[in-house]
Amino acid sequence: MVAWTVRLGLWQNRPMPTEQASPVPGFLYGTAWKEDRTPALVELALRAGFLGIDTANQRRHYFEAGVGQALTKAYSEGLLKRSGLFLQTKFTSQGGQDHRLPYDPAAPLRDQVAQSMASSLEHLGTDYVDSYVLHGPMSGYGWTTADAEVWEAMVKERDAGRARLLGVSNVSLRHLEQMLAAHTVAPAFVQNRCFASRGWDRYVRSFCQEHKIIYQGFSLLTANIEVLRHPFVNGLAREANASSAQIVFAFARRIGMLPLTGTTDPEHMRQDLASLDLELSPEAVEAIESLAG
Ligand SMILES: NC(=O)c1ccc[n+]([C@@H]2O[C@H](COP(=O)([O-])OP(=O)(O)OC[C@H]3O[C@@H](n4cnc5c(N)ncnc54)[C@H](OP(=O)(O)O)[C@@H]3O)[C@@H](O)[C@H]2O)c1
């Protein structure tokens, strides 16, 4: 097995110290829903300073090969090296896909994982990803034997050196508890939609903290419009000469989250990265944490 490890710490866009190259950066640039604009937007994000990219081998929502095109261009222009980039993709089961499948749907799940990974590596022009994420369990109610088969196949990919770290997405506390009880390998990442109205996914986050799993939060802005409009958050933004979006990202980082943004706007790219350097008092963090739930 390849002995890569990740240490938890406070999130800045300065790379986190890890024992290998491709450390986990402080922000991930998300590539969903960008279609033909994917190569240009990924290039823009890399030029803006993002060091982490999130994608998926799910053509329905992502154009993974377009991410690869941007990376090839960025390497050839000397913008960055593969070893300086944190590259994350996902295995999406058939229920989450349209007809453009990256595997044979008649194959056993373990083979689908291997085929999807091979296709991802080809799309991304690399021989390993830094993180390989199970896009979502098959059932909303619990961890199934099918999920277990997929996870074990992902562990094999990691052991073969094709993935440095593994993760799981769209999970409840119950999924995680059952998953950890069923497997010897725990995820390094959980990636969830983060609603302020659910205490910013309080129970999953606290489970992650307890098990040294890095929590990746998406839809931090779009799922939390009420927070962006809240007078308290607007006041903090005014005081810091920042936007409410930046306050939300700064808050996310302060509570130990690894935030994602999929902004298409170069100015928002700059602002999102700059939010990592915004200071928030412990009182402000506590107030935002309990603002909506
Ligand atoms: N695992 C999963 O199932 C899953 C599901 C959904 C998403 N994801 C990942 O998460 C990534 C992010 O997705 P998301 O759901 O968080 O939505 P998103 O695509 O990042 O959308 C964020 C919205 O916020 C706006 N925005 C960003 N920065 C801003 C700023 N500084 N000021 C004002 N507006 C700003 C963007 O508008 P502008 O474009 O105008 O800036 C956009 O409308 C995706 O690309 C994908 O990689 C994963």
Side-chain angles (χ1 to χ4, degrees), residues 7-292:
R7 291 192 214 118
L8 291 168
L10 257 191
W11 304 100
Q12 302 287 336
N13 201 42
R14 284 189 293 279
M16 288 179 65
T18 60
E19 289 169 6
Q20 294 286 327
S22 305
V24 184
F27 226 124
L28 296 183
Y29 183 69
T31 61
W33 314 301
K34 294 178 170 54
E35 291 297 327
D36 289 351
R37 296 179 74 200
T38 303
L41 287 169
V42 170
E43 183 183 344
L44 215 50
L46 295 173
R47 289 194 188 281
F50 282 91
L51 298 170
I53 300 289
D54 175 80
T55 187
N57 206 344
Q58 181 203 33
R59 192 59 193 86
R60 181 179 175 188
H61 294 307
Y62 296 78
F63 179 23
E64 195 184 45
V67 174
Q69 288 167 23
L71 296 181
T72 302
K73 182 158 186 265
Y75 303 145
S76 73
E77 291 177 5
L79 196 57
L80 85 170
K81 291 192 172 117
R82 172 68 188 90
S83 59
L85 180 73
F86 178 87
L87 191 51
Q88 173 169 281
T89 192
K90 309 185 191 84
F91 170 79
T92 311
S93 58
Q94 215 185 327
Q97 303 271 9
D98 60 17
H99 61 285
R100 293 166 291 179
L101 292 166
Y103 45 72
D104 172 5
L109 287 169
R110 58 181 180 279
D111 295 343
Q112 292 183 18
V113 171
Q115 289 168 20
S116 190
M117 171 62 101
S119 154
S120 284
L121 297 180
E122 193 183 329
H123 287 159
L124 297 168
T126 186
D127 55 7
Y128 73 98
V129 291
D130 298 280
S131 166
Y132 199 43
V133 173
L134 170 53
H135 211 152
M138 308 266 180
S139 156
Y141 297 102
W143 190 253
T144 62
T145 51
D147 297 322
E149 183 179 345
V150 168
W151 185 253
E152 291 302 331
M154 290 174 61
V155 170
K156 284 211 173 83
E157 293 300 318
R158 185 200 66 166
D159 290 351
R162 290 186 282 274
R164 211 161 65 84
L165 299 164
L166 299 178
V168 64
S169 182
N170 297 302
V171 283
S172 63
L173 180 59
R174 180 203 288 242
H175 283 125
L176 286 172
E177 285 171 344
Q178 294 178 348
M179 181 189 187
L180 264 67
H183 301 280
T184 51
V185 175
F189 301 105
V190 160
Q191 184 183 101
N192 267 4
R193 179 165 281 124
C194 191
F195 290 95
S197 59
R198 296 182 197 153
W200 305 90
D201 214 1
R202 182 180 289 122
Y203 300 114
V204 169
R205 281 193 299 112
S206 108
F207 183 91
C208 287
Q209 207 167 9
E210 197 184 320
H211 294 273
K212 301 208 175 342
I213 297 168
I214 294 173
Y215 181 98
Q216 303 182 3
F218 64 85
S219 300
L220 282 162
L221 304 183
T222 48
N224 301 308
I225 303 295
E226 75 285 9
V227 174
L228 292 172
R229 292 188 183 142
H230 198 285
F232 178 71
V233 173
N234 292 163
L236 287 175
R238 264 194 310 277
E239 269 172 39
N241 198 21
S243 68
S244 294
Q246 286 180 296
I247 298 294
V248 168
F249 286 132
F251 161 76
R253 188 254 305 168
R254 277 295 304 272
I255 61 170
M257 227 184 261
L258 171 55
L260 286 102
T261 176
T263 179
T264 56
D265 179 322
E267 177 55 21
H268 289 164
M269 288 181 186
R270 191 197 61 73
Q271 288 178 5
D272 293 355
L273 284 173
S275 71
L276 297 178
D277 294 324
L278 278 180
E279 291 299 330
L280 282 181
S281 70
E283 295 75 29
V285 172
E286 203 178 313
I288 299 173
E289 198 161 8
S290 52
L291 213 54

